Amino acid sequence: QVQLVESGGGWVQPGGSLRLSCAVSARIFNIIAMAWYRQAPEKPRELVASITSDDKITYVDSIKGRFTISRDNAMNTVYLQMNSLKPEDTAVYFCSVTSTVGLRFQDYWGQGTQVTVSS
């Protein structure tokens, strides 16, 4: 069952912008964090940005000042606004949410959306 649905990926020229969206199923309760990861060819998956239920935000250094993570108040959707895109931003971008299940954390993942930055 698909519980995270991503959209907004595509091709853009260097310096351009894209906004990624991730719709979160209402069946996921007790979300404590939402995040975007990316995985470029031949590289490990990398945490790009995260936002917690109490609005603590982190970014990987390589995108600071260019990307912005945000969410709606109900935590139904998480966004990644990507500006001043560079070729090195090319990757499959994955949405992830973390919820509490009893005494444990449960991670959910989207299918990924391709972002390609090239001339």
Side-chain angles (χ1 to χ4, degrees):
Q1 294 179 332
V2 177
Q3 299 187 86
L4 303 179
V5 180
E6 299 155 335
S7 62
W11 172 84
V12 67
Q13 293 184 341
S17 297
L18 288 172
R19 188 180 75 161
L20 306 182
S21 299
C22 175
V24 180
S25 171
R27 299 200 308 161
I28 303 176
F29 299 103
N30 303 317
I31 294 172
I32 60 171
M34 313 177 86
W36 289 95
Y37 290 75
R38 67 186 180 187
Q39 188 165 24
E42 302 179 358
K43 292 184 177 180
R45 186 170 297 186
E46 174 186 43
L47 175 62
V48 177
S50 65
I51 182 168
T52 67
S53 58
D54 59 349
D55 294 321
K56 293 185 175 66
I57 294 174
T58 60
Y59 296 107
V60 67
D61 286 344
S62 61
I63 59 89
K64 284 183 177 178
R66 300 188 297 120
F67 292 8
T68 303
I69 189 170
S70 62
R71 59 169 178 84
D72 62 10
N73 290 334
M75 302 190 79
N76 294 321
T77 312
V78 60
Y79 306 94
L80 186 67
Q81 178 66 47
M82 304 185 293
N83 299 324
S84 302
L85 282 159
K86 303 175 180 179
E88 51 263 44
D89 296 318
T90 296
V92 178
Y93 284 71
F94 297 89
C95 175
S96 177
V97 302
T98 301
S99 67
T100 57
V101 182
L103 300 177
R104 304 186 67 182
F105 296 150
Q106 177 67 56
D107 292 331
Y108 299 85
W109 293 88
Q111 294 289 99
T113 184
Q114 178 70 46
V115 172
T116 302
V117 185
S118 69
S119 299

